[in-house]
Amino acid sequence: MAITIPSHQPETLWGHPKGLYVLFFTELWERFSFYGMRALLIFYLTRHFLYSGKESGLLYGSYLALVFLSPMIGGYLADRWLGQRKAVLFGGMVIASGHILLGTEDFLGGSQATLGVFWIGLSLIVVGTGFLKANISALVGKLYAQHDPRRDSAYTLFYMGINIGGAVGPLMCGLLGETLGWSYGFGAAAIGMIAGIIVFARGKRHLLGGGEAPDPAALAQPVLGVKREWLIYGSTIPLTLLSWLLLVSPKLTGTLLAAGGLLVGLLLVWIALARLEGEERRKLLYALALVVIQPVFWGLYEQSGSSLNLFIDYHVNRMILGYEVPASVFQALPPLFVCLIALPFAALWLRLAKRNRMPTPLSSFGFGIIMVGGGFVLMAAAQLVPADQKVPLTFIFLLFLCHAVGEMCLSPVGLSAMSRFAPRHMTSFLMGTWFLATAAGNFSAGVIASVIEVMGGGANGGDRAIILDAYLRIGLVAAAIGAFVLTLNIGAQQYIRWRGAIPV
């Protein structure tokens, strides 16, 4: 629900409330810390703790899956009691604490005793992201009336902040972590998050009163002798321990994801068939099809931080102007490419809309999956490079460019489709289902990376020819799935026209 705008005109900058830029820079710094640490994670596991490529791939996938699951809890607590503003502020502090612990663990050494400090730090980042990520996007919407025409451009600017942070984070944290020491990289991530907390706290007045607790009296009410607000903050302890358990037990994480996904999917099908009819039923089933398809994309896309990161480290010529660039720095390329192509894509969508030729969400998904698969097929062409030479950087640039184009076709289109097609009373539930599927896709990325390790890749570099052959196989499979989705879209549109329904 939109907030009540004060009677005086809110302060604006470049046509938008100043609160938008507070949220822009807060999210920029949070993504700086997240992507900066993510770029180092696979190397920290394989070099510092000497995990195998198989183990590190599964742990990496579990971490990303939990990061996308935790906002379902943080979002509920904020909507029900805490309010988005306090949730974002608290989440940022928890994330910063996690990054600080990661850096501290490096100073303590790599023993099994201090390994627990690393897991606690990583678990705190998972829990903190749940409080922050679920709510900061909602605060953007609360700055505008429901039908304010500036809303779309506001979210476009906000999305740019995400990708700027995602590009700068690996550059800074990767360089520091791989050249000066892990603690410097994780420390830079912590400083970034602390900067975001300061920006957010100082900009409170620009949020126009949005995101406060829905019922302050209920938040202050004692529960078991403790004020409810402090009880919510205290829930960080059991949630952190639960995250720790799931992080170190990837099989358990995968089982819970599979069971949860199956139950939610069956529930949505039952709701569509038993409780909805007509247009609402068709739209919900269409949205469910998108949810089922999207893990294919993320399973391949997130190889960038795991198997691809290791491949770049061992098999790619990283010399630029006489300097060997650390492998983790190249994690900046996907968000950088997104920043470069976002405006051309926005112009393309507008032009297609004016000509009434906008692609359907299903066709956009099909093309996005083809692009992520095509990137790996192009990468496999590096088989032509002589065995005694390293793979040129050109292949990495082309792969990440394909992935960025695929992301633009799938991620924003999917989020928009969830809000468009969800029945009015279950928008939040369907959005949560989308993130559950995203978590499953990220977990499958870890599984794929571990399979590549078994085939001959891994933490010690592995056999280049075997790895590239694996990339060719997954690329061709993805392209085939994308082509099937495009064919399915054609059939769906023909059926819709035959039934005389409104095209999606």
Side-chain angles (χ1 to χ4, degrees):
M1 183 176 68
I3 64 166
T4 303
I5 304 296
S7 57
H8 64 277
Q9 184 68 25
E11 295 179 80
T12 60
L13 181 64
W14 297 321
H16 287 281
K18 286 189 176 181
L20 173 64
Y21 304 100
V22 171
L23 300 174
F24 173 96
F25 283 107
T26 303
E27 180 70 350
L28 185 155
W29 283 115
E30 188 274 329
R31 291 291 91 181
F32 171 96
S33 69
F34 175 80
Y35 282 104
M37 189 282 289
R38 169 183 171 275
L40 291 171
L41 181 58
I42 200 76
F43 296 128
Y44 194 56
L45 291 169
T46 55
R47 298 179 193 170
H48 186 68
F49 292 119
L50 304 181
Y51 279 106
S52 68
K54 178 182 178 180
E55 292 172 313
S56 59
L58 287 173
L59 293 170
Y60 175 87
S62 294
Y63 166 69
L64 289 183
L66 292 173
V67 161
F68 278 96
L69 280 176
S70 60
M72 297 179 72
I73 299 175
Y76 173 78
L77 292 174
D79 285 342
R80 185 70 176 85
W81 291 296
L82 197 58
Q84 286 80 18
R85 186 187 64 81
K86 286 186 175 181
V88 169
L89 187 61
F90 177 68
M93 291 188 287
V94 174
I95 292 171
S97 301
H99 285 299
I100 291 170
L101 275 182
L102 293 184
T104 303
E105 193 282 329
D106 187 32
F107 284 119
L108 296 174
S111 68
Q112 289 299 313
T114 56
L115 180 60
V117 177
F118 167 75
W119 291 121
I120 293 174
L122 209 60
S123 300
L124 283 171
I125 294 172
V126 169
V127 175
T129 302
F131 278 95
L132 188 146
K133 191 67 178 172
N135 298 296
I136 193 167
S137 296
L139 282 175
V140 175
K142 290 180 180 294
L143 294 172
Y144 302 89
Q146 188 171 4
H147 299 293
D148 193 321
R150 299 174 297 169
R151 287 174 67 96
D152 287 347
S153 65
Y155 275 104
T156 300
L157 286 170
F158 186 70
Y159 193 67
M160 290 289 287
I162 291 173
N163 285 283
I164 291 171
V168 178
L171 288 174
M172 295 291 294
C173 300
L175 279 172
L176 292 171
E178 289 203 68
T179 56
L180 297 181
W182 304 114
S183 292
Y184 292 93
F186 293 134
I191 291 171
M193 191 64 255
I194 292 170
I197 295 169
I198 294 171
V199 168
F200 186 77
R202 290 179 61 87
K204 175 185 174 181
R205 69 184 182 91
H206 295 300
L207 299 180
L208 308 178
E212 296 301 327
D215 187 351
L219 188 62
Q221 183 180 4
V223 178
L224 300 175
V226 181
K227 192 163 70 169
R228 179 176 272 119
E229 181 174 354
W230 290 104
L231 201 63
I232 291 173
Y233 296 148
S235 69
T236 302
I237 297 173
L239 288 174
T240 300
L241 294 176
L242 176 62
S243 297
W244 185 0
L245 172 64
L246 293 174
L247 281 171
V248 298
S249 308
K251 289 184 179 179
L252 177 59
T253 304
T255 301
L256 291 176
L257 278 172
L262 180 61
L263 287 174
V264 170
L266 291 174
L267 176 61
L268 284 173
V269 170
W270 178 79
I271 290 173
L273 298 180
R275 306 190 61 179
L276 300 176
E277 56 185 26
E279 197 71 11
E280 278 197 331
R281 173 187 292 175
R282 184 174 64 85
K283 286 184 175 182
L284 181 57
L285 291 175
Y286 191 94
L288 183 58
L290 299 178
V291 168
V292 171
I293 291 166
Q294 63 119 329
V296 177
F297 178 86
W298 295 115
L300 272 66
Y301 183 92
E302 280 300 335
Q303 294 305 304
S304 59
S306 52
S307 70
L308 268 171
N309 222 356
L310 294 171
F311 183 88
I312 293 170
D313 189 37
Y314 284 95
H315 299 296
V316 173
N317 181 359
R318 295 179 277 111
M319 298 298 295
I320 298 179
L321 300 176
Y323 174 73
E324 188 174 45
V325 180
S328 57
V329 169
F330 292 98
Q331 296 302 300
L333 287 177
L336 179 62
F337 281 136
V338 168
C339 287
L340 292 175
I341 67 176
L343 292 179
F345 256 85
L348 174 64
W349 296 142
L350 282 175
R351 180 173 295 183
L352 290 173
K354 288 179 179 178
R355 296 180 180 180
N356 200 26
R357 299 184 64 181
M358 275 291 288
T360 65
L362 201 58
S363 63
S364 292
F365 272 45
F367 186 71
I369 293 172
I370 289 174
M371 289 303 297
V372 77
F376 281 105
V377 173
L378 286 175
M379 188 72 203
Q383 292 272 33
L384 301 174
V385 178
D388 60 344
Q389 297 179 22
K390 289 199 169 185
V391 175
L393 271 173
T394 306
F395 287 94
I396 301 301
F397 278 80
L398 289 174
L399 179 142
F400 283 143
L401 178 59
C402 287
H403 286 192
V405 172
E407 181 183 355
M408 291 302 297
C409 290
L410 186 136
S411 186
V413 172
L415 290 172
S416 175
M418 293 306 107
S419 62
R420 281 172 53 203
F421 297 152
R424 199 174 289 177
H425 62 283
M426 55 186 302
T427 302
S428 297
F429 182 73
L430 192 60
M431 193 65 74
T433 304
W434 170 266
F435 285 113
L436 175 63
T438 304
N442 281 278
F443 182 81
S444 69
V447 174
I448 292 171
S450 69
V451 170
I452 292 174
E453 153 77 4
V454 172
M455 292 174 64
N460 61 351
D463 188 308
R464 189 178 87 183
I466 292 176
I467 299 170
L468 290 175
D469 182 63
Y471 286 161
L472 177 62
R473 290 168 184 259
I474 62 175
L476 290 175
V477 169
I481 293 173
F484 173 76
V485 171
L486 289 177
T487 304
L488 187 65
N489 173 72
I490 294 172
Q493 295 306 307
Q494 291 296 330
Y495 176 77
I496 288 169
R497 291 190 184 95
W498 177 66
R499 292 293 300 269
I502 301 172
V504 292

